[in-house]
Amino acid sequence: PTRAQALALRAWAVTALEGSGPAARCFRSALDEVGAGSPSEIELMQGLAWSTHQTDVRLAEPFARRALALAELGGGDEQTAVSQTLVDFLCALGGKGISIDAVARAVEVVQSSSRRPQIMCRPDWLHGMLLMWEDRLPEGLQRFETMRADAIARGDEQSLPFILFNLARAQLLLGSW
């Protein structure tokens, strides 16, 4: 389990530093090492879905759905909420509609947890982007402002660039140059 967690953290670091292609290779490599049915498979599938979606959303969705199926079998409420959010996000990217209310419910589940998933799969971050896509800019702005304050309070420097980018984008779209 410790090695699997280390491999997952490495793959997320590669995602941030090198981009989606190298990250997808890292997530696949980690999956090969931990094997099917490992508790770490959920997070690795989430990461593979995220790193693959930038190339082809249709290829990413099965990974997210696998993560969701595993989470529903025993990953707990938080992992189920994260995985469901990722599926909903990828469906929105694929033109299948935006499930803002479902994602908002997932935000509540994850916020009540002491553990925070990687920023790229966090329901609050994905919810903020979906709000902006729905032209609900003030709500999106509020979501990112809340996330910024939380990241600063927790010392979560890794998440800040992703949050600040979207916070600035929301402000720009609202005319607050």
Side-chain angles (χ1 to χ4, degrees):
T2 303
R3 179 165 171 71
Q5 184 60 32
L7 290 169
L9 289 172
R10 178 182 179 274
W12 284 115
V14 168
T15 302
L17 297 171
E18 298 179 32
S20 60
R25 289 190 291 278
C26 282
F27 282 113
R28 285 182 198 279
S29 175
L31 278 166
D32 290 343
E33 288 197 42
V34 301
S38 161
S40 298
E41 186 181 5
I42 298 169
E43 182 177 2
L44 293 171
M45 281 292 173
Q46 291 168 347
L48 190 54
W50 179 262
S51 60
T52 305
H53 96 275
Q54 296 179 10
T55 304
D56 190 337
V57 172
R58 294 168 299 171
L59 296 176
E61 195 175 327
F63 299 126
R65 290 195 183 280
R66 169 77 177 154
L68 177 58
L70 290 169
E72 288 174 336
L73 286 174
D77 292 342
E78 177 193 317
Q79 283 288 27
T80 301
V82 170
S83 297
Q84 183 64 60
T85 299
L86 193 52
V87 168
D88 291 341
F89 179 75
L90 294 172
C91 286
L93 283 175
K96 298 176 186 171
I98 297 178
S99 302
I100 289 180
D101 294 335
V103 174
R105 287 189 296 276
V107 170
E108 293 174 17
V109 170
V110 174
Q111 283 181 336
S112 67
S113 170
S114 61
R115 182 180 174 270
R116 291 282 195 256
Q118 293 293 324
I119 185 68
M120 291 169 238
C121 289
R122 278 183 38 194
D124 51 353
W125 187 64
L126 295 171
H127 185 243
M129 287 193 293
L130 292 174
L131 287 168
M132 289 185 3
W133 294 353
E134 274 284 298
D135 201 27
R136 293 167 58 178
L137 297 173
E139 291 171 84
L141 178 68
Q142 180 60 48
R143 170 67 60 206
F144 291 118
E145 286 175 342
T146 300
M147 289 179 66
R148 178 183 168 274
D150 180 62
I152 290 169
R154 292 161 105 19
D156 184 5
E157 293 177 5
Q158 177 209 357
S159 299
L160 275 175
F162 299 96
I163 296 166
L164 292 173
F165 173 82
N166 283 290
L167 181 59
R169 186 166 183 249
Q171 289 173 331
L172 177 70
L173 292 171
L174 283 165
S176 178
W177 292 66

